[in-house]
Amino acid sequence: MTVHAATAPFLARPLPRRPSLLVAAAVACAGIPPGAQAFGPGTQVTAGDVASVVLVLVAAGMLVTGKARLPRLALPAFGPLVAALGISTVHSADIGSSLAGFVRDLQVFVLVPLAVVVLVRDRRDLATVCWSVLGLGLAEAAYGIWQAVTGNGASMGGRNIRAVGTFGALDVMAMSIVVGFAFLVLIAFALTAPEHGAAAVPSALAGIAVMGAALALALSRGTWIALGAAAVLTLVLFDRWTAVKVLTCCGALMFVLLGVAGGGSQAVVERARSTVGSVSDPDQSVDDRYNLWAAAVRIWEDHPVTGVGVKNFPAYRDTYATIELSSGSETDDPVNGYVRQPLLSPHNEYLLFLSEQGVVGLAGFAALLAMIVAGLWRRRDARDPFWLASVGLLAFLLINFLYADLGGPTCALVGVILGLTAARAFGAAGASAAMASPAGRTS
């Protein structure tokens, strides 16, 4: 009775007529630069995190008052991960350190995605969230291009030419991830743009050009790989012949642009060459990543079932890593100056789960991803831009997790993206394009 009396004022408040606007606001908050660290090293509280708390509270209010309900696939999708997180935390070598990691993983992989599934109720809500992702990506791309052109970006080869957006050099990959999300959303929309008027195609191509330039100037090899694979998958699923034509045109355009740009494209060319040679002749950054991966595997081999506990990888890293591993990575930009950052994770989300949570944690994470993939396959519609965007976004995350993990201001945004794909996969926002307006129906 006391609990009900305490929560009654909150639940009695009128909820927004279009709760997906709150999701869009949370997406926009991801672009606000993060503040100081909290809850220990490696954990930041950002504006996006605060906005995600609001999402969870509003979604909980809608569920409790009966204004919304979870799709039936939500429990089998998210339940195993919640159980795995609890088990690995209880068996952690340092439960106190793992509590912050438990809360973070619960936020990113469970609470925020579930909140988005609840708040995204129809195709208009899907469009609202997609447009917010697109708007944030375009803004970050434009700012990143300005940084690279004016020498106000992060340092690369002694010059401040790397586009990092509002995130700065301390989160050097964040801008490329955000713009990558927006790029895939715009590709999905562009494929159906001819149905929406004469101005739709030129507008989409202009947006793709801006974000493509920003992604090139971000000099993020991992994002290039993940984005290229996800974009190709999206094109092939839409139409194979369209994919061939688009890829041919893109290849020719890149060849011409590199020739025209000359010395201005040298950093991009050198970065691309280092991507090709990352196996035979890895640089220090890639070599450190290989050492971190090996250390994570060794930690798992000694703690196979429940791992060493969330957030405990740094405590075990030096014991299991070889002497070749650097003490940290170096970043520099005009805002933050020179900073040496410690290597607090293996830079592989799957190996991070495996080393810190063992096979129990990885199984729970894999179950969630498998349920979303299966749901998207069951409700596939290659002429639905929301389905194409969901497939592209999920593919981008799955590939990106192979050589990156979560951290900084993009954590809450990744939770929103997972929720967006889950909403489409579980049918919470309409199972097919047939529910759209006539312009969005399959032919």
Side-chain angles (χ1 to χ4, degrees), residues 87-136:
I87 293 171
S88 61
T89 301
V90 170
H91 290 86
S92 170
D94 185 351
I95 296 179
S97 299
S98 293
L99 285 176
F102 172 81
V103 172
R104 174 63 94 186
D105 281 2
L106 199 66
Q107 171 206 6
V108 175
F109 296 114
V110 180
L111 295 179
V112 173
L114 281 176
V116 174
V117 169
V118 171
L119 299 178
V120 174
R121 300 169 300 180
D122 55 31
R123 294 180 63 82
R124 182 178 296 179
D125 289 330
L126 282 174
T128 298
V129 179
C130 286
W131 277 108
S132 67
V133 173
L134 184 55
L136 176 63

Side-chain angles (χ1 to χ4, degrees), residues 22-418:
L22 296 176
V23 183
V27 170
C29 286
I32 300 176
Q37 289 186 345
F39 303 112
T43 303
Q44 292 175 320
V45 175
T46 67
D49 294 326
V50 176
S52 71
V53 172
V54 176
L55 293 186
V56 173
L57 290 176
V58 172
M62 293 180 66
L63 291 173
V64 171
T65 57
K67 295 180 179 179
R69 62 179 181 177
L70 287 174
R72 61 182 182 84
L73 292 177
L75 183 59
F78 292 94
L81 180 55
V82 175
L85 281 170
I87 293 171
S88 61
T89 301
V90 170
H91 290 86
S92 170
D94 185 351
I95 296 179
S97 299
S98 293
L99 285 176
F102 172 81
V103 172
R104 174 63 94 186
D105 281 2
L106 199 66
Q107 171 206 6
V108 175
F109 296 114
V110 180
L111 295 179
V112 173
L114 281 176
V116 174
V117 169
V118 171
L119 299 178
V120 174
R121 300 169 300 180
D122 55 31
R123 294 180 63 82
R124 182 178 296 179
D125 289 330
L126 282 174
T128 298
V129 179
C130 286
W131 277 108
S132 67
V133 173
L134 184 55
L136 176 63
L138 284 170
E140 291 290 345
Y143 185 45
I145 293 172
W146 175 84
Q147 288 175 319
V149 171
T150 61
N152 285 283
S155 178
M156 175 66 71
R159 297 181 296 165
N160 294 330
I161 58 173
R162 188 171 188 180
V164 289
T166 60
F167 306 101
L170 297 180
D171 294 288
V172 73
M173 289 186 61
M175 189 214 76
S176 65
I177 291 174
V178 171
V179 177
F181 288 154
F183 189 86
L184 291 169
V185 169
L186 189 53
I187 284 180
F189 287 176
L191 291 173
T192 57
E195 302 174 358
H196 300 283
V201 174
S203 299
L205 292 178
I208 288 174
V210 171
M211 289 190 285
L215 287 164
L217 295 171
L219 303 177
S220 178
R221 296 171 294 191
T223 302
W224 291 348
I225 296 171
L227 187 61
V232 170
L233 175 63
T234 302
L235 290 169
V236 170
L237 288 173
F238 179 78
D239 183 75
R240 294 178 182 178
W241 179 236
T242 298
V244 171
K245 291 188 291 185
V246 170
L247 293 176
T248 301
C249 291
C250 287
L253 183 61
M254 287 179 61
F255 182 80
V256 172
L257 289 177
L258 289 177
V260 172
S265 64
Q266 191 62 32
V268 178
V269 174
E270 291 177 357
R271 197 67 169 166
R273 286 176 179 170
S274 69
T275 303
V276 177
S278 61
V279 176
S280 59
D281 185 24
D283 56 26
Q284 185 61 53
S285 175
V286 175
D287 197 49
D288 282 344
R289 191 157 302 188
Y290 291 159
N291 275 298
L292 289 168
W293 292 356
V297 172
R298 295 187 192 105
I299 292 173
W300 167 70
E301 289 174 344
D302 283 351
H303 307 82
V305 181
T306 58
V308 295
V310 188
K311 286 292 179 184
N312 284 338
F313 177 84
Y316 287 79
R317 178 200 60 205
D318 293 340
T319 302
Y320 289 88
T322 62
I323 195 172
E324 289 83 6
L325 180 65
S326 299
S327 60
S329 61
E330 299 175 340
T331 62
D332 187 18
D333 66 18
V335 176
N336 301 289
Y338 174 83
V339 178
R340 189 165 183 83
Q341 295 181 298
L343 302 173
L344 301 177
S345 73
H347 294 285
N348 181 305
E349 191 67 32
Y350 307 112
L351 291 179
L352 182 63
F353 264 87
L354 197 61
S355 62
E356 292 189 338
Q357 302 180 47
V359 294
V360 172
L362 185 61
F365 187 46
L368 169 62
L369 297 177
M371 288 289 290
I372 296 177
V373 171
L376 288 174
W377 178 252
R378 283 194 301 270
R379 294 175 172 83
R380 59 190 180 275
D381 184 349
R383 291 299 181 269
D384 177 15
F386 299 119
W387 184 83
L388 288 172
S390 297
V391 171
L393 291 169
L394 186 60
F396 177 81
L397 281 177
L398 293 179
I399 299 170
N400 190 65
F401 282 162
L402 289 171
Y403 38 80
D405 43 43
L406 296 180
T410 57
C411 283
L413 181 59
V414 169
V416 171
I417 295 300
L418 280 174

